[in-house]
Amino acid sequence: MQPRRKASNMRPLRNRWTALAAALALGALAGCTPDSGSDGDGSAAAEPSTGAAQTEMEGVESFFGEYGDYVGVMTAIQEGKVTAEELEYPFVAQQEHVDTLNTWDGQGPVYDLKPPAGGNHLSVWQTCTGSVYDAPIADGNAVHSLEHGAVWLTYDPELVEQADIDALALLINARDYSLMSPYPGQGVAVSLQSWGNRYQTEEVSDPKIGEYLDTYVLNARFNPEPNAPCSGGVTTTAS
């Protein structure tokens, strides 16, 4: 099943972003945001979210632990203070494309956290240009979208009425670097995931849904590859 918005074709990117953490840390100290020029494949990168300056939001679960954000985690790893495996939630520092490894068994990655909020993933992202999917999507593709700075809104179809699904879709359709899909069995009405952060609510009209989107879309403190493309990914669903 196709999303309600179409995207242009674009070849997938794969860059190693280990060095990005130090650069972002320096940028944060200087009050800077990432370069809004080319994203490396010749296409123009999107402007960083105006909410990127906001660092915390009440009720959000953070999986970065004492290091606070992606920049802090990667800086600590580079400085030898901790290894990824020693983190409480190692997935915040895991960015391998599992389907490009020689050991790949043809299966998508399995995540302890459902819906996932980071970790090793598939090599192509899920198109996230304000894309609303009517059926579940592959976790491994969606996590790649989170790596690029997107927020993924999921809902439990057993807990949310169609009218409420349509209302949620309006929030996503108008916003680049976001996507939405049903997630059967997640056990909460609405869940919002970005890399290393999550907010869940039983209230579809919760104003914090919009606040989360404002705060975490393209937030360079938390996203490993903010401004990498959201167009040109896969648009297929898992069923």
Side-chain angles (χ1 to χ4, degrees):
M1 190 173 297
Q2 299 294 317
R4 297 178 186 172
R5 292 186 59 177
K6 296 181 179 179
S8 59
N9 293 326
M10 185 179 297
R11 297 179 63 184
L13 286 177
R14 179 54 181 170
N15 294 315
R16 293 291 182 180
W17 289 83
T18 305
L20 177 62
L24 286 176
L26 291 173
L29 290 173
C32 299
T33 57
D35 183 9
S36 59
S38 172
D39 59 23
D41 69 343
S43 61
E47 289 295 326
S49 169
T50 56
Q54 185 173 338
T55 59
E56 293 183 2
M57 179 182 144
E58 185 177 356
V60 170
E61 297 174 84
S62 171
F63 302 102
F64 293 103
E66 63 183 289
Y67 301 102
D69 53 32
Y70 178 78
V71 174
V73 162
M74 297 309 294
T75 299
I77 290 173
Q78 289 177 339
E79 293 177 350
K81 296 178 180 178
V82 69
T83 66
E85 293 74 19
E86 292 171 335
L87 296 170
E88 182 178 3
Y89 298 100
F91 69 79
V92 298
Q94 295 171 341
Q95 295 173 246
E96 290 288 344
H97 290 170
V98 299
D99 51 345
T100 65
L101 302 176
N102 292 332
T103 56
W104 190 49
D105 60 3
Q107 302 298 311
V110 177
Y111 301 94
D112 292 333
L113 193 69
K114 292 185 177 295
N120 296 331
H121 46 270
L122 299 175
S123 59
V124 184
W125 57 92
Q126 192 81 23
T127 294
C128 42
T129 52
S131 308
V132 176
Y133 297 88
D134 296 324
I137 59 179
D139 283 353
N141 297 125
V143 169
H144 195 155
S145 301
L146 304 187
E147 184 185 45
H148 286 195
V151 168
W152 179 25
L153 187 156
T154 56
Y155 61 91
D156 192 326
E158 295 296 320
L159 302 177
V160 181
E161 300 290 336
Q162 184 60 51
D164 292 328
I165 295 171
D166 293 341
L168 291 169
L170 291 176
L171 292 176
I172 299 301
N173 273 327
R175 187 184 298 267
D176 202 4
Y177 284 85
S178 68
L179 67 164
M180 169 178 161
S181 66
Y183 205 98
Q186 74 178 16
V188 64
V190 180
S191 184
L192 295 110
Q193 293 71 228
S194 55
W195 191 276
N197 292 290
R198 180 176 70 174
Y199 178 73
Q200 298 186 319
T201 179
E202 297 291 355
E203 301 296 330
V204 175
S205 59
D206 187 341
K208 288 187 177 179
I209 294 174
E211 184 181 349
Y212 190 97
L213 289 162
D214 289 340
T215 301
Y216 291 97
V217 164
L218 292 178
N219 191 321
R221 284 195 58 193
F222 301 104
N223 305 137
E225 300 180 12
N227 294 327
C230 249
S231 62
V234 298
T235 59
T236 54
T237 58
S239 61

